[in-house]
Amino acid sequence: MTGGGGGNYVQQVNRPRTARPRSVLAAGVALAVSAPVALTALTATGAPAAQAAPPAPRHIAYHQWDGAAALRTGSFAGTSARGGRLRIVRPTAKARIGGKPYAVASWTSRGVRPGFGFTEAVPSWEATTPRGTFVQVQIRGVDVLGRLSSWDTTGRWASDDRTFHRTTLGLQKDDLARVETDTWVANQRRFRAWQVRVSLFRRSGSRATPTVDTVGAMVSSLPSVRNVATSRPGVARGRELTVPHYSQMPHRGQYPQFGGGGEAWCSPTATTMVLAYYRALPPQSAYRWVDRRYRQRVVDYSARMVYDVGYRGTGNWPFNTAYAARRTGHAFVTRFASLRGVEHFIRAGIPVVTSITFGAGQLAGSPIRSTNGHVVVVVGFTKKGNVVVNDPAAKSSSSVRRVYARGQFEDAWLQRYRSRGSMRGSGGLGYVIYDGRHHLPARHGATNW
């Protein structure tokens, strides 16, 4: 690593053996039931879309455990929820990761039934990891035939990379599901319930403990769709948040060990813009290792802080929100049914980072011709309901602000379909990052916004 980063950057990946735990989610576990969310098809003018049959529903549910009372609904193995945060009390297991010995304790959630058969899940978390510690997040589920899956690891995460390098562990395609970087995906049949387990690791002989403030997951079942009916403009028409402008492009070629900047850094650049909006950027002393000739050096720092050595990139969704939560206090990954949900966040003063996919000519005004996956920040809406974004793919910070047609943007953002054996489109994914001065919009009894 150049620029005084502090030693060699060595990948530490150790694929765990897959084992079925003795406890069975399908038997004797209380399950939370919540109603599904459906997207109503609307034309750009708000009139019902002309079609032979209503569109397939977009089922999305986000559930989290936050605070001592919520955490006590789960089961503890060498951990406690003292002070409202998970922490190690007495390790119950040992592990060897990257050739180094660790003591381990864990917490397992109760089972959750979202009320619909789901095919994907994306866990996210808020944690603090002192040097020599990290957290591991796993998920398992019960499919519609009542079969229990193995535990699959969606991430090993540390806020700092000096003693442990955050990583994902690959597909883990051993039974009922697989892991596609940060997303847990059903192999064949849908799942009816899920459960998450957080393991807290510390170096053997240490008294330090990571702490976990919040853990949750978004589960979804989405129709295969490329073009969606445009939603009617809602509560945020004419409102735009003053989110600072940062471009990823001037960073091209910087720090190859963290992805190399340029096209590869849309996610950390977008996350950095949101942190700047909340005035939650790290102090300059944190990134003094970044070459002083570079502009907006904090983007290089963010790229390092979200880099996934297993994926070899900076686009891991929950790694971005976990980093952001360390700065603002709160962040998670979810999906939205349409831009109407995002409008409630803009009205509450909360920008939303969104993941889009589009082909040539499908998003007029974009600084890039096409993309298989790109991240932009929704910062507001025009009076007509079109989308105002900060697009980090712009050549310079002065051209980051863009206005995209509402219908074109929703097509690029909400699409989710299989092509040549892999999934395309994020299906309406968003990073929700906020601080103590801002409050989440009410869900009004729904499972998502």
Side-chain angles (χ1 to χ4, degrees):
M1 181 182 341
T2 62
N8 295 325
Y9 191 83
V10 181
Q11 180 171 337
Q12 298 182 26
V13 179
N14 183 32
R15 180 184 292 274
R17 294 180 181 177
T18 302
R20 289 183 179 274
R22 282 193 250 171
S23 59
V24 178
L25 174 61
V29 179
L31 295 171
V33 181
S34 45
V37 177
L39 170 64
T40 302
L42 297 170
T43 66
T45 61
Q51 51 192 19
R58 292 172 52 82
H59 295 300
I60 306 166
Y62 176 73
H63 185 93
Q64 71 175 19
W65 291 266
D66 183 4
L71 291 169
R72 289 190 190 109
T73 64
S75 58
F76 300 86
T79 55
S80 78
R82 188 171 70 249
R85 298 174 176 176
L86 280 176
R87 63 187 67 237
I88 298 173
V89 177
R90 182 175 298 173
T92 57
K94 296 180 180 180
R96 197 166 189 86
I97 307 294
K100 299 176 181 178
Y102 287 86
V104 190
S106 65
W107 174 86
T108 305
S109 78
R110 60 182 174 84
V112 179
R113 278 187 186 268
F116 56 86
F118 65 93
T119 58
E120 295 184 333
V122 181
S124 48
W125 56 90
E126 300 167 5
T128 300
T129 58
R131 186 176 295 192
T133 73
F134 69 94
V135 298
Q136 173 178 275
V137 179
Q138 297 175 296
I139 191 168
R140 68 174 178 177
V142 174
D143 72 9
V144 293
L145 298 181
R147 298 180 300 174
L148 177 67
S149 78
S150 61
W151 287 106
D152 291 321
T153 300
T154 59
R156 288 176 175 167
W157 184 86
S159 55
D160 184 274
D161 63 1
R162 287 173 291 182
T163 57
F164 183 83
H165 301 299
R166 65 195 75 83
T167 187
T168 46
L169 301 183
L171 277 175
Q172 303 164 71
K173 187 178 178 181
D174 59 324
D175 57 355
L176 307 182
R178 63 189 183 278
V179 178
E180 295 183 358
T181 307
D182 41 28
T183 306
W184 191 69
V185 183
N187 282 334
Q188 291 181 321
R189 294 179 175 83
R190 296 171 186 267
F191 284 89
R192 69 187 187 194
W194 61 275
Q195 194 175 20
V196 67
R197 180 169 69 189
V198 183
S199 298
L200 287 70
F201 289 70
R202 72 182 179 199
R203 288 289 299 274
S204 296
S206 170
R207 302 292 294 176
T209 178
T211 57
V212 179
D213 295 78
T214 300
V215 62
M218 176 274 299
V219 300
S220 61
S221 175
L222 306 178
S224 178
V225 62
R226 301 190 188 197
N227 300 301
V228 299
T230 305
S231 66
R232 183 174 57 192
V235 299
R237 281 177 292 187
R239 172 137 195 202
E240 182 175 343
L241 305 179
T242 55
V243 178
H245 299 165
Y246 287 44
S247 170
Q248 70 198 70
M249 293 309 183
H251 300 278
R252 186 180 288 109
Q254 296 174 8
Y255 298 103
Q257 65 269 45
F258 307 129
E263 293 84 352
W265 280 7
C266 59
S267 193
T269 306
T271 299
T272 301
M273 285 191 266
V274 177
L275 295 182
Y277 167 75
Y278 291 118
R279 299 181 180 179
L281 291 175
Q284 291 187 15
S285 60
Y287 51 90
R288 60 177 176 265
W289 53 270
V290 178
D291 193 318
R292 292 187 179 277
R293 294 171 298 176
Y294 297 162
R295 289 176 289 170
Q296 296 184 335
R297 296 161 60 231
V298 68
V299 173
D300 299 75
Y301 175 84
S302 294
R304 178 177 176 174
M305 292 301 102
V306 304
Y307 188 74
D308 174 351
V309 300
Y311 170 59
R312 296 182 181 179
T314 58
N316 184 304
W317 296 331
F319 282 16
N320 274 262
T321 56
Y323 161 61
R326 292 279 296 121
R327 307 299 315 165
T328 64
H330 308 283
F332 60 90
V333 179
T334 191
R335 281 190 168 113
F336 291 84
S338 76
L339 281 171
R340 290 177 66 84
V342 174
E343 288 196 73
H344 287 284
F345 281 82
I346 297 299
R347 187 182 186 187
I350 302 172
V352 177
V353 179
T354 57
S355 179
I356 58 176
T357 302
F358 57 91
Q362 294 179 344
L363 189 62
S366 171
I368 53 178
R369 183 172 180 269
S370 62
T371 176
N372 289 327
H374 178 52
V375 172
V376 302
V377 187
V378 176
V379 302
F381 294 84
T382 68
K383 290 183 179 179
K384 292 184 178 180
N386 289 321
V387 191
V388 184
V389 307
N390 281 7
D391 193 329
K395 290 184 179 180
S396 64
S397 297
S398 61
S399 58
V400 159
R401 182 187 182 275
R402 304 277 165 149
V403 177
Y404 295 141
R406 189 182 187 96
Q408 288 187 344
F409 185 87
E410 283 192 313
D411 283 345
W413 179 47
L414 299 177
Q415 63 179 276
R416 186 72 167 160
Y417 61 94
R418 184 165 293 279
S419 175
R420 297 179 181 178
S422 61
M423 296 302 297
R424 285 178 56 89
S426 78
L429 185 126
Y431 305 169
V432 175
I433 302 167
Y434 63 107
D435 63 10
R437 299 188 303 262
H438 296 80
H439 303 286
L440 295 178
R443 285 195 263 187
H444 301 295
T447 59
N448 207 59
W449 292 270

